[in-house]
Amino acid sequence: MAFLLGVDTGGTYTDAVVLDEGTDQVVGFAKALTSRPDLAVGVGEAIDAALAHAQVDPAQIAMVSLSTTLATNALVEGQGGRIALVAIGFDDADLTRAGLTEALRGDPVIRLVGGHNHAGGAVADLDLEALRHALSGLDGGITGFAVAASFATRNPAHEVATRDLIRATTGKPVSCSHDLSQSLGGPKRALTAVLNARLIGMIDRLIAACEGHLIKVGINARLMAVRGDGALVSADLAREKPIETILSGPAASIAGASWLTGERDALVSDIGGTTTDICLLQDGRPKIDPQGARVGPFRTMVEAVAMRTWGLGGDSEVHALDGLEGGLRLGPRRLMPISLVAHHHPDLVHHALDRALAHDVPAADGGQFVIPLWDAMPAGLDAREQAVADRLAVQGPQRLGKAVQTRLENPALARLIGRGLVLLAGVTPSDASHVLGLVDAWDGQAAEKALTLFARRRTGAGTRLAETAQDLARQIIDQLTAQTVACLLQAGFAEDDLDWADPAALASHALTRAGLDGHKGVVQVSLSLGVPVIGLGASAGAYYGAVGARLGTRMVLPEHAGVANAIGAVVGQVRAQATGTVTSTGEGIFTAHLPDGPVVFADSGAAIAALEAALREQAEVAVRASGVEDIRLSVSRDIAEADVENRKMFMEATLRVEASGRPRIASGQ
């Protein structure tokens, strides 16, 4: 007998599920809190509990697969390690395109002379001496490097040489843009490399945590990871290219939703702690985004499911709106719920909240807390960041007003949060759910105290935001429903057959609201979604009933909705794509841009054949490395020709080879 183990690590929970490989039945599942900074604790607790629930011997596990929302969450929240970008052959204007400035967040850029042209010829010699000098001047806080050269997809030589020198000099991980995408568009490739470099440390820690626990409990099975398009890849490849795991959790949830429900056409909405992820399921398969995955403000070159991601989840920050009428807004930042931090630090939280409630005027820090996430004091901090970190290092988690003691330290705290070094705790929908009795997982009494304190805030008219904690809790849940409805409507307009202009504006338009209300007057308006919604996530059952009613559609809440990501992690297939081009600069000159560099042929057919052979080998090697033995290959060719004086003239050919198959499942013991 053989069993499959799926693990999904989200911002709040880590899920594990055991499937019987022979019957395709879920035989055990469990949830554990995602543990920070040591991810191994939560991963281990979830795996152990799932195995115990299934009553399965660890030696019978034949394959383990991992999905995660950590990369997605980090990009949405602007987190990740501090990196340096080496830009080769780019000018100042290039570095302002594609969101590069925002993605760099002030991290250093090393500009070098070099790069290639469209045909793969060198524009200038690469200045490696300038690189050596620049590397010597960087501080110790750099966790990795991104390397991008102009037209590296036509000739990667300068990126490869730069990578080799950086590795030899620093020993730190390097992300080359040509390894992540074969598409043209230097600034966008550079952006993808920057984000990849930021995520390497985070995903490496997660995979190491999973590997370590598998060894500890006696599971000797292949470890796979879910890519953003839903395909499985080896854990080693996921370590090298963590950017490919953005939308990994959502992609796994789509596979899990289809497997659990049998629905062929639906909107799948997965609510986690940090984000709500929505994707269209068409004919049983997720839609793929042809422009590359978009997460938060960034459009990458990573092929992934066409997932629309909003910073809205069970742990979203609750904001009180300015203005006479007040009101609430949720997200996009994730906070640790007060009920959860009180579960771990009851004395600290209850003492601080009791003191704050003794005064009628709400506390200046809003009753929030700061939680350090590091194992050892981080390097590369400026003076104000160091002052905040020192207080947290000495005293541990503490109230915001004690961790930050001057206004000048507020930006320093924001930078520490952005780097994932500390976490802010405050009022969230999870706390509201505890107050209303919808869930009872953590400290409901602390949640009620926190909401009582929050409710004392004043609107622009001078009235309290809410009279009681229960009143505020209902407002928060109603706001979560309203924002979820808006997200689903926006996704619905965007995916509809009609080319609707500005789906976001339509989702909040007065006519849309009137249609949902079923307005009947001189004008009658009605509106509903035309496909069902599959609600996933641990809290979907608590929140999504009202969402379906508001949208006038069938809400499907499958039995194992809370662990759909973990299920989807083990039911997918391995897929690898290799893409390349053949270009021509004149009659009888055909350049095949091979993985190792350009080669010139006198005949277009020979160039295309050489490229196809190289791409086939590249794709096959990739899937074999992930355990596939029975390989299926498909080849697509896009050949552009022009009519010149009644003759067909070759312009360019783009080839794409895809290799796929299920990884070999070792029989259980």
Side-chain angles (χ1 to χ4, degrees):
M1 267 183 106
F3 296 89
L4 310 178
L5 174 63
V7 180
D8 176 71
T9 297
T12 304
Y13 283 108
T14 293
D15 305 331
V17 64
V18 180
L19 269 69
D20 185 323
E21 201 264 336
T23 65
D24 277 348
Q25 295 296 310
V26 175
V27 295
F29 61 91
K31 301 179 85 64
L33 287 169
T34 297
S35 50
R36 298 165 188 267
D38 186 4
L39 295 168
V41 175
V43 169
E45 289 178 352
I47 290 175
D48 291 347
L51 291 173
H53 185 213
Q55 297 183 334
V56 167
D57 184 340
Q60 291 181 288
I61 299 296
M63 187 182 81
V64 182
S65 190
L66 177 67
S67 68
T68 182
T69 60
L70 292 183
T72 307
N73 295 348
L75 298 187
V76 169
E77 298 182 87
Q79 296 183 357
R82 189 161 178 264
I83 60 95
L85 168 64
V86 180
I88 306 167
F90 291 112
D91 58 28
D92 290 338
D94 290 329
L95 297 179
T96 64
R97 299 188 178 108
L100 255 178
T101 302
E102 294 80 2
L104 282 165
R105 302 198 315 255
D107 285 354
V109 177
I110 300 172
R111 288 183 52 188
L112 299 178
V113 173
H116 294 80
N117 58 30
H118 185 273
V123 174
D125 292 337
L126 178 64
D127 191 348
L128 290 178
E129 191 56 43
L131 177 60
R132 289 189 183 91
H133 178 74
L135 292 175
S136 67
L138 295 176
D139 62 59
I142 300 297
T143 62
F145 293 82
V147 177
S150 60
F151 287 104
T153 55
R154 294 293 192 249
N155 190 336
H158 287 181
E159 285 194 0
V160 171
T162 300
R163 176 198 64 199
D164 293 346
L165 178 57
I166 293 173
R167 284 178 177 172
T169 304
T170 70
K172 293 183 177 177
V174 184
S175 299
C176 289
S177 76
H178 79 275
D179 286 332
L180 301 171
S181 175
Q182 283 298 304
S183 298
L184 296 176
K188 196 172 176 183
R189 267 190 298 104
L191 168 71
T192 305
V194 164
L195 299 179
N196 191 73
R198 276 205 200 291
L199 296 171
I200 282 178
M202 177 186 300
I203 298 303
D204 180 69
R205 288 191 296 273
L206 173 61
I207 292 174
C210 194
E211 287 176 332
H213 194 75
L214 295 179
I215 294 171
K216 179 180 175 182
V217 300
I219 294 177
N220 182 24
R222 186 185 306 277
L223 178 60
M224 310 293 290
V226 181
R227 217 167 50 191
D229 61 357
L232 303 182
V233 295
S234 69
D236 289 340
L237 184 59
R239 270 192 165 108
E240 295 175 15
K241 301 180 180 181
I243 189 68
E244 292 192 352
T245 71
I246 62 171
L247 301 179
S248 156
S253 76
I254 301 298
S258 180
W259 190 87
L260 285 167
T261 67
E263 296 284 347
R264 305 289 294 173
D265 298 284
L267 281 172
V268 181
S269 183
D270 186 359
I271 181 170
T274 308
T275 61
T276 290
D277 306 307
I278 300 174
C279 180
L280 180 64
L281 190 66
Q282 284 183 315
D283 197 26
R285 298 190 64 178
K287 186 176 179 182
I288 300 297
D289 191 339
Q291 299 182 52
R294 185 181 186 97
V295 181
F298 304 119
R299 172 71 75 178
T300 71
M301 280 187 167
V302 176
E303 186 170 278
V305 294
M307 186 73 69
R308 300 176 188 278
T309 299
W310 286 266
L312 176 69
D315 299 343
S316 289
E317 183 175 9
V318 179
H319 302 270
L321 300 179
D322 296 330
L324 294 176
E325 296 182 2
L328 302 173
R329 178 175 58 82
L330 307 180
R333 182 166 64 174
R334 173 184 178 267
L335 302 185
M336 180 180 284
I338 292 293
S339 50
L340 177 54
V341 72
H343 180 74
H344 293 300
H345 307 283
D347 293 341
L348 166 72
V349 174
H350 281 282
H351 177 69
L353 292 176
D354 287 341
R355 289 191 61 183
L357 287 169
H359 305 280
D360 188 56
V361 178
D365 63 6
Q368 294 184 322
F369 296 82
V370 181
I371 318 296
L373 298 178
W374 58 74
D375 290 313
M377 179 64 74
L381 304 182
D382 64 26
R384 292 194 175 95
E385 293 167 353
Q386 192 68 56
V388 175
D390 287 342
R391 294 185 200 109
L392 293 171
V394 172
Q395 301 178 38
Q398 55 191 281
R399 196 163 158 182
L400 175 59
K402 297 186 76 173
V404 175
Q405 297 184 354
T406 70
R407 289 185 176 180
L408 294 177
E409 288 180 347
N410 283 325
L413 176 64
R415 291 192 294 273
L416 293 174
I417 292 171
R419 290 176 60 184
L421 297 174
V422 303
L423 186 63
L424 205 59
V427 171
T428 69
S430 295
D431 296 309
S433 295
H434 278 79
V435 171
L436 294 177
L438 299 175
V439 295
D440 186 26
W442 306 319
D443 191 331
Q445 187 180 12
E448 185 163 356
K449 290 178 180 179
L451 264 71
T452 300
L453 185 63
F454 198 104
R456 292 180 180 177
R457 299 189 185 191
R458 301 285 175 172
T459 68
T463 59
R464 284 190 174 186
L465 196 61
E467 290 300 318
T468 67
Q470 287 73 21
D471 290 339
L472 179 61
R474 280 188 286 271
Q475 288 184 34
I476 293 172
I477 299 303
D478 288 347
Q479 183 62 27
L480 180 63
T481 299
Q483 288 185 223
T484 303
V485 166
C487 294
L488 281 162
L489 282 171
Q490 186 174 336
F493 280 120
E495 300 292 358
D496 191 71
D497 292 339
L498 286 178
D499 188 15
W500 296 96
D502 199 348
L506 281 173
S508 59
H509 196 280
L511 274 175
T512 301
R513 293 197 301 271
L516 294 176
D517 292 337
H519 173 76
K520 293 182 179 180
V522 176
V523 174
Q524 293 190 17
V525 188
S526 64
L527 184 144
S528 65
L529 283 180
V531 294
V533 174
I534 302 174
L536 302 179
S539 59
Y543 302 139
Y544 273 18
V547 172
R550 177 65 173 159
L551 290 169
T553 193
R554 180 164 56 94
M555 178 63 68
V556 182
L557 299 170
E559 179 185 359
H560 297 296
V563 291
N565 291 24
I567 292 171
V570 291
V571 298
Q573 290 205 342
V574 174
R575 284 198 306 275
Q577 297 88 19
T579 304
T581 57
V582 174
T583 59
S584 176
T585 56
E587 192 166 351
I589 304 173
F590 302 94
T591 304
H593 298 277
L594 305 179
D596 294 331
V599 177
V600 177
F601 294 83
D603 177 71
S604 63
I608 290 173
L611 177 62
E612 182 175 325
L615 296 180
R616 281 175 176 267
E617 181 182 2
Q618 186 179 2
E620 284 192 31
V621 167
V623 295
R624 287 193 191 281
S626 295
V628 177
E629 295 177 351
D630 184 11
I631 299 174
R632 294 186 301 277
L633 283 170
S634 64
V635 181
S636 64
R637 304 173 184 84
D638 182 10
I639 300 176
E641 295 179 322
D643 287 317
V644 179
E645 296 181 351
N646 297 319
R647 289 179 55 205
K648 293 286 188 182
M649 178 171 287
F650 178 94
M651 302 295 291
E652 184 173 288
T654 300
L655 274 66
R656 178 186 175 94
V657 176
E658 178 175 286
S660 63
R662 278 287 288 173
R664 183 176 60 84
I665 305 295
S667 58
Q669 297 179 7

